[in-house]
Structure formats: C-alpha cells, structure tokens
Amino acid sequence: MYMRVIKYNSMRRVSTWLAIMLSAMVAIPAYSQEDTDTIKARELKEVVVDARNQRLGAEVSTYIPTAKQKNAAQTAADLLNRMAIPQLRISPNDKIESLAGKSVDVFIDFLPASTQDMDGMRMQDVKKVEYYDYPTDPRFLGKAHVVNFVMQKYEYGGYVKVYGWENTANAGQASVYGKLQYKRMTFDIAGGGFYVNEKHSGSDIYETFRMPQADGSLEVFERNSIQKSSKSKDHTYWPTFKALYSSDRITVLNLIGADFNQSPVNEQSGSIQYSPEISPQADYYNNSARRVNSFSYNGYWNFILTDKNSITFSPAYAYSHTNTSSLYVEDGIGEYNNAAKDDSHQIQANLTYTHSFGKWGTLNAMLKTEITTNSTIYSGTSNTSDNAHIYRIGPGVQYSISKGKIYGMVGFGYNFDRQEYMDYKDNSASPWIDFSLQYSPNDRHSIRGNFHHDETMPSSSFRSAAVIQSNPLMSYTGNPNLESFGSYHAGIDYSFVPDNRLSLSAFASTWIVDNRYVYDYIPSETGILRTIKQPGGSYSQWNYGVYGTLRLLDNRLQLSAQINAASVRNGEPYNLNKTSLGYAIQANYYLGSWSFSGLYYSAQGYPDGCMVGTWMHTKAFYRIQAGWSNSTWNLQLQLANFARWNWGYNKSEMHSRYYDKTEQTYSINAHALARLAVTYTFGFGKKVNRGDEATQQSGVNSGILK
C-alpha cells in the first residue's frame, strides 16, 4: 500500500496564488478599503491519497506488500502469510496451497523457484505479488496455480544473505545465498544444511487381526506396540550453482545442484502386548537408517522469436543413489533384517511453442517427454532385484482468450506411456483435459471455476514383487501389473476485496479417482500381507470453506480467520465415510521496527490420500511471535504450544476386513517449543538484482518398495 501526503501550506507561492484566485471569485461584492491592501491566505487541510494494494482480475490478481510487511518478513512464505492473499492459504510449516488445498508453484520474475529460493529472497526487493489460475504464459511451464514475485531490477552488483534458525528440540538450519550480477549475466551460489537430533519421535501402534480359521471362524486378537524410548538423527547438506543470461528476447537459466541426506539413526524400543494373551509380553527394538546422495540439473530457455511467437524449452536430469536398512528384534520371536540399494535416473525435456493472435487469444503447442529408470537390490528377508523403466511422451495444446472481464482457457492432449518392469511390458495412451473460466466484473470481485482430468502412472516403488517381512505378523509386497489411474478435479471460488481493509473468499472443490490402486491387507501364513490391489472401490473427496481478513489502525493490525471442512467417501476395502470441520485465526500487529503475531489452528481430521484408508486426526496448534528488523537484520522469536508439555502428535486410524491399525505418533512439533530465527543481508555494487537465488536440488525418487 502506498500513501502520498501533500501539504499545500508548505508551498508558499502556490498557496498565495490559490488564495488570490479564491478571493477574486468570492469576495468581489464585498470589497472594502481595509481588504484591498492585504489579502490573507488560508491554510488548506492535509490531503491524503490512499492507493489500493489489492486488485482482482480475470487473468491475474495483483497484491502489493506494505513496507511493514516486507520489513517484518524473513522469507517469501512468511511474506505471503502476512499479506493474507485471499486465494492462498499458508500452513504453520510454510506450505503454500490454494484454498482448496491444491499445490501452488512459485516463480520469481517468471522463473521457477523452490523453497530455498524463497528463503534466500531479499524481502525489500519485492515490488508486487501476482496470482494466476491456469495461466497460458509459457514461462509458467503449464502449472495450474502460480504465485509470481515481481522483484526490483538493478544494474550491477551483488549481495549475500545468511539465514538460520534453531529451536529448543535440537533442530536447526543454516543457509548462505550469494548473488553477483554483471550486465546481462547473473551468478548465484548457495549452500546450506539442516539437522535434527531428537529423542521424542516414533509412535504407539494398536493393531487388530482377524485371521480365518479352518472351520470358517475368525480368530480375533489385538497386538499393541507401546513405545518406551526413541532416538533419531538426520543431517542434510546441499550446494548449488546457477547462471542466468537475460536480454530483451532471450532468457537462459542453468542450475546444477547436489543433495546429501543421511539419517543414520531412527530407533524405537518398547513392549509388545497381546489381548487375549496368545503370547507373553515381550520387548522390542526397531532401528532404520537411510542415506540418499543426489545430483540434478535444471534448465530453462526462453526465446522470443517475434512479437507474436516464442519458444520455451526446459530440460532436466536427476540422479539418486539410495541405501536403506532396517532391523526389528522381538524377544523370544527373532529378528528381521532388511536392506535395499537403488540407483535411479530421470530425464525430462518439455518444449512449448507460443503464438499470439492478439485480441483473439493465445495458443500454446506443447510436447512433454520423460524417461525414468530404477535399479533396486533387496537383501534380508527377501533377496531379489528389480529393474523398471518408464517412458512418456505427451503432446498437447492450450488456447486462452481474455476479453476484458472474462478470461477462459481450454487445453487437451494425450500421454503415450510405456512401462517396463522385469518381464512385464505395457503400452497405454490416456488423455488430459484442462478448463478454466474466470470472471471479474471489476477489480473488487472475482469468481473462478476450473476442471482438470488426467491419468497418473504408478511409481516404480509400488511394482516390486519382493515379499518383505517387517515383523512377526506383517509382510508387504507390490504389484507388477499396476495400471495408470484417472482422476477428476473440479472447483469454484469467489473473492471480494472492496478496499485495503477487507478481503473475503469462499471456495468448494471435489476430487474423484477412477480405477485406483489401494493397499489391501489379506491373511497369510505369517499373519497379514499388505498387497497393492487394483481396482479399489470408488473414491471421492470434497473441500469447502470461507476465509476473511480485516485490517485496522492504518494497517498496523491485521486479523484473519478461516473455516474449512473436509469430507471423504472411500470405498472397498476401507468403506470410510467421514467429514470434519476446522478453523484458524491469526493476528499481526506492527509497531515501528517491531512486529507481533499470534495464530491458532484447531484440531481437525482429513483423509490421507486415495491409496490408503487412513483418517488423520491433528492436534490443535498455536503460536505467538515477536520480531525486530531493520534493512540488514531480522530477528524472530517464536513460542509454540507453550501450554502443552507432552509429545503426543497426530493420530491415524485405518479399518479393513482383516486388519485394523491405530497409530499415535510423537513429535517435537507437539510439545512446547521455542525457536529463534535470524537473517543478515548485505549488498554491494549499484542496484543489485536480488531474487531467483540458487536453491537446494533434490534427485529422482528411488524404486525401493514402499
């Protein structure tokens, strides 16, 4: 929000001439001898012009952050949360979603950005934030929901930003971002690390087994794993390098990065209890370890051929090497040792040609290609190896047109897939469809509707035929014959921003899955075997709610509230029908260089995806925060769940024909927690281009059975 104050009394000459003109117009009939010698100028009152910082549009909605919001925010997600954009919701862990819970992709000056890019941005350089639904601008790479940060432009120079946080639960992060720009070239180098070393993770597990007997009856018993102690460690390190060339007609971005993640310890120990007591109580010990080393390359090349034609090419390559191991020991029963190694490669190359018809719209012709390979070796309770290859080529077109108050987009195409797993081979073709219609009668109202359909290939990690036993009564395997499943999404939402003080929005959406594959629990010789079955029963999910923000005291006080509901109908083998209602409230207050905030998220339930029959129960979360900042330093102190002194976290429930499972998890995120976060930024040179920082890069998912 911008405010311009014009004081006419400080402009003596202007005031005098205005007084003379006013006197000439209103005082001619009242001339007297005394007034002809002296003309007195009147002091005019202060005139305030309050510019709008929220504007809705059919094609794009624009939001301008205030100086208070930018000064108080440490990261881009923090800034979005403070701006309270009506089409977005930001979770307490900084996840950015649409109101309907769909993923939102973030761009910085029309270039793709990740979480680490957003952490490395300099908040003072943000000029405005744009929100798009189903844009056809090829620079957005066909993403459905997009946030684009428009940054201040600079001539040359550079900057360094250091960002880190530490909490009272032995977890922390530190990152360094550096940028150097010279003429048309910009170079970024960045690196960081994360660690956690906690003793309050793990879970209590309550299982019910219904085992068929030879006489046709069912033997029913419960098995409870009660945790007594736990310990886990996790370390991640990442370096990246980015080079960007940008001119009026050419943008070439190349980024290389690596990621080294190691979780050497994830231990739990406790006791096993049966009811009825088919076996005496026994102690158990469980430990798992994981190491993932990955390398990646991402490119983004945009060429403007003419005023009406452009080409965008985005090549990418990722490699990951994964080692996992697990050991489960139960006294008097035995031990179960498993290990797996995996090498995975993924190549992607997407090409888009764009032609503008002027007032008659824009056409995108697209070609997407992907090759993924997984090579996995198992040892322990199963000694086998897997090899999987997935090939996809997907041509398609998108057409969009904007006619003042209306923006429409329609897209369709086909994905031609080839899946190879050991001796299994399958060729298939499936369509995808996008449709979006948006109407804004003015810059205060906007209503949007959309529809999306596509088919998703199953991951290689679900295809393995290996049978792995994790404890005396539970084994799991995959399904080599899985096929792609179709999904349908439809949604509608409405936003209203009458002025800078108020914003309101309401939404409703549905997600329907066809021919889905599901985890199925069936009796086996050793207890229960978790397999993957296709097709499962029907699945549908609904989300709906309202969200509002009120700004008072010249924007120093901001109050936000949301109410949302989640419903699911999950057919065989779970037969789950649930609905849950939740709400959240948040307040931000600014006082000079200080900022204060508080938020409360109520307990809520939600479905944990279409492949499982799990219903999640979250605990309430609350947090207060105080911060101080200037142009260089930004310090924030948070106190979360300060009245809670137990480690109990979320709870999940799953029920099926032969097997039920309830799990109570424990986490540092549930307990009272204090966190200190600090950023330090300094620049050099003249008008530095700040934004599009180098980012942590992750590899391709492994094919290890999940």
Side-chain angles (χ1 to χ4, degrees):
M1 178 179 65
Y2 298 98
M3 183 175 293
R4 179 176 297 173
V5 179
I6 305 173
K7 296 185 178 180
Y8 289 95
N9 58 312
S10 66
M11 303 171 64
R12 297 293 184 183
R13 294 182 179 179
V14 175
S15 300
T16 301
W17 281 105
L18 285 172
I20 292 172
M21 295 173 65
L22 289 170
S23 298
M25 288 187 290
V26 301
I28 289 176
Y31 267 71
S32 65
Q33 185 65 39
E34 293 79 11
D35 293 334
T36 56
D37 297 329
T38 304
I39 298 177
K40 296 181 179 180
R42 296 183 179 180
E43 181 176 306
L44 299 181
K45 292 184 177 180
E46 179 175 273
V47 177
V48 178
V49 179
D50 189 2
R52 295 192 62 208
N53 64 352
Q54 301 183 107
R55 294 186 181 275
L56 301 176
E59 190 170 355
V60 58
S61 297
T62 303
Y63 303 89
I64 300 174
T66 67
K68 297 182 184 72
Q69 292 167 341
K70 293 192 291 185
N71 194 51
Q74 287 189 332
T75 66
D78 188 8
L79 179 61
L80 291 176
N81 183 46
R82 295 175 183 276
M83 293 176 66
I85 293 175
Q87 295 100 329
L88 298 177
R89 66 181 186 187
I90 316 298
S91 68
N93 61 356
D94 290 340
K95 186 178 181 181
I96 303 170
E97 297 178 322
S98 69
L99 289 179
K102 298 301 179 182
S103 175
V104 173
D105 291 274
V106 177
F107 286 71
I108 302 174
D109 281 334
F110 301 94
L111 295 173
S114 72
T115 301
Q116 286 70 34
D117 288 319
M118 297 166 64
D119 289 345
M121 284 172 51
R122 185 175 186 266
M123 297 300 102
Q124 285 76 7
D125 286 344
V126 180
K127 296 186 67 176
K128 64 180 179 179
V129 177
E130 301 172 330
Y131 178 76
Y132 298 82
D133 271 321
Y134 289 92
T136 52
D137 188 325
R139 294 175 294 180
F140 292 136
L141 305 176
K143 304 300 183 181
H145 311 286
V146 169
V147 166
N148 181 50
F149 287 86
V150 178
M151 311 297 291
Q152 174 66 53
K153 301 298 182 182
Y154 295 86
E155 294 178 5
Y156 63 86
Y159 84 99
V160 173
K161 178 178 179 179
V162 180
Y163 170 62
W165 59 265
E166 183 84 15
N167 66 26
T168 54
N170 291 325
Q173 174 185 329
S175 306
V176 179
Y177 306 86
K179 178 184 289 292
L180 176 64
Q181 179 181 336
Y182 181 71
K183 295 184 178 179
R184 298 185 184 277
M185 290 299 303
T186 303
F187 300 97
D188 293 79
I189 186 168
F194 166 82
Y195 87 95
V196 62
N197 185 3
E198 63 164 311
K199 297 182 179 180
H200 302 284
S201 60
S203 60
D204 294 335
I205 300 176
Y206 305 89
E207 301 168 288
T208 300
F209 294 81
R210 288 178 285 273
M211 308 299 295
Q213 303 299 300
D215 60 2
S217 64
L218 290 176
E219 181 186 7
V220 181
F221 62 91
E222 295 180 357
R223 181 179 186 268
N224 301 330
S225 303
I226 309 301
Q227 178 176 289
K228 295 180 179 178
S229 65
S230 68
K231 180 172 64 175
S232 65
K233 296 182 179 180
D234 190 285
H235 307 276
T236 300
Y237 308 96
W238 57 272
T240 59
F241 174 76
K242 179 192 292 186
L244 170 66
Y245 172 83
S246 181
S247 67
D248 292 339
R249 291 188 173 273
I250 298 175
T251 300
V252 177
L253 170 68
N254 293 293
L255 186 149
I256 58 173
D259 189 278
F260 308 99
N261 173 258
Q262 186 174 9
S263 302
V265 177
N266 186 16
E267 294 180 343
Q268 295 91 37
S269 62
S271 63
I272 302 295
Q273 304 168 1
Y274 290 90
S275 178
E277 192 172 327
I278 61 174
S279 180
Q281 178 175 316
D283 292 334
Y284 77 89
Y285 170 81
N286 184 34
N287 184 34
S288 62
R290 181 181 179 89
R291 186 177 74 250
V292 182
N293 297 328
S294 61
F295 168 84
S296 64
Y297 160 79
N298 286 276
Y300 174 89
W301 308 349
N302 178 256
F303 305 94
I304 300 176
L305 306 178
T306 67
D307 292 341
K308 294 185 177 182
N309 300 279
S310 67
I311 291 178
T312 302
F313 180 57
S314 55
Y317 168 75
Y319 164 76
S320 290
H321 176 75
T322 305
N323 280 343
T324 65
S325 63
S326 66
L327 172 65
Y328 179 86
V329 180
E330 190 170 320
D331 292 347
I333 302 295
E335 64 179 49
Y336 302 86
N337 204 332
N338 292 288
K341 296 181 180 181
D342 178 89
D343 287 284
S344 297
H345 303 261
Q346 186 177 73
I347 299 173
Q348 293 178 314
N350 300 328
L351 181 67
T352 302
Y353 169 74
T354 302
H355 177 75
S356 172
F357 297 101
K359 66 178 182 179
W360 300 109
T362 300
L363 179 69
N364 287 336
M366 301 168 292
L367 182 65
K368 299 181 179 182
T369 59
E370 177 184 328
I371 301 174
T372 302
T373 67
N374 303 100
S375 178
T376 310
I377 299 175
Y378 298 95
S379 60
T381 59
S382 180
N383 292 280
T384 186
S385 62
D386 293 337
N387 286 282
H389 303 267
I390 295 176
Y391 307 90
R392 165 168 282 187
I393 182 168
V397 294
Q398 282 183 332
Y399 173 75
S400 67
I401 187 168
S402 182
K403 288 293 186 181
K405 301 176 181 180
I406 298 177
Y407 169 77
M409 187 280 298
V410 61
F412 63 90
Y414 260 85
N415 290 320
F416 298 92
D417 302 324
R418 179 174 175 83
Q419 303 175 61
E420 299 177 357
Y421 173 78
M422 307 299 283
D423 295 330
Y424 171 83
K425 295 179 175 60
D426 177 64
N427 294 308
S428 61
S430 59
W432 60 266
I433 301 170
D434 281 332
F435 174 75
S436 176
L437 184 63
Q438 304 173 43
Y439 173 65
S440 292
N442 52 50
D443 60 6
R444 292 170 172 80
H445 300 267
S446 178
I447 186 168
R448 297 168 295 274
N450 61 76
F451 171 82
H452 173 74
H453 164 67
D454 69 356
E455 297 209 6
T456 302
M457 287 187 294
S459 168
S460 298
S461 61
F462 297 138
R463 291 186 175 280
S464 178
V467 178
I468 297 174
Q469 189 162 3
S470 57
N471 65 49
L473 292 174
M474 180 62 66
S475 303
Y476 60 97
T477 187
N479 184 349
N481 300 310
L482 294 179
E483 300 176 351
S484 299
F485 68 86
S487 64
Y488 305 83
H489 173 267
I492 186 170
D493 63 89
Y494 167 75
S495 298
F496 174 51
V497 289
D499 52 39
N500 290 335
R501 294 171 298 177
L502 179 66
S503 62
L504 296 170
S505 56
F507 70 94
S509 69
T510 185
W511 180 41
I512 300 173
V513 179
D514 181 39
N515 193 39
R516 65 171 178 148
Y517 46 83
V518 296
Y519 286 142
D520 191 20
Y521 299 84
I522 61 175
S524 70
E525 294 180 357
T526 57
I528 290 292
L529 175 66
R530 191 205 71 186
T531 66
I532 302 178
K533 182 179 73 172
Q534 190 180 34
S538 62
Y539 182 92
S540 56
Q541 182 177 320
W542 297 267
N543 291 282
Y544 33 90
V546 294
Y547 176 44
T549 299
L550 179 65
R551 300 170 181 86
L552 304 170
L553 304 178
D554 191 24
N555 271 342
R556 292 193 303 274
L557 177 62
Q558 177 178 294
L559 304 173
S560 300
Q562 66 181 44
I563 301 175
N564 60 279
S567 301
V568 65
R569 183 178 181 85
N570 192 337
E572 290 289 341
Y574 306 114
N575 298 314
L576 173 69
N577 295 282
K578 286 271 192 177
T579 297
S580 176
L581 182 69
Y583 65 92
I585 54 176
Q586 180 171 328
N588 292 293
Y589 182 73
Y590 302 94
L591 183 64
S593 298
W594 290 87
S595 63
F596 305 91
S597 66
L599 64 85
Y600 178 86
Y601 276 76
S602 70
Q604 189 178 4
Y606 66 91
D608 195 27
C610 68
M611 187 177 177
V612 298
T614 305
W615 182 260
M616 302 295 298
H617 301 267
T618 67
K619 297 189 75 170
F621 175 85
Y622 47 92
R623 181 181 70 200
I624 58 174
Q625 175 178 291
W628 178 89
S629 57
N630 58 23
S631 59
T632 302
W633 288 94
N634 187 307
L635 291 81
Q636 290 183 2
L637 177 63
Q638 298 179 0
L639 298 176
N641 301 318
F642 43 83
R644 184 183 298 149
W645 297 96
N646 64 78
W647 305 95
Y649 194 46
N650 295 341
K651 184 179 180 181
S652 65
E653 292 182 79
M654 187 279 297
H655 301 277
S656 63
R657 181 179 179 184
Y658 297 107
Y659 176 73
D660 300 340
K661 179 180 178 181
T662 299
E663 184 171 6
Q664 172 64 64
T665 60
Y666 299 94
S667 171
I668 58 176
N669 296 316
H671 194 272
L673 190 69
R675 170 176 141 156
L676 178 65
V678 180
T679 67
Y680 175 73
T681 307
F682 66 91
F684 53 90
K686 180 181 179 182
K687 291 187 176 180
V688 188
N689 184 1
R690 297 166 180 167
D692 315 321
E693 284 74 13
T695 171
Q696 176 183 353
Q697 298 297 300
S698 59
V700 59
N701 292 330
S702 77
I704 297 175
L705 177 63
K706 296 180 180 178

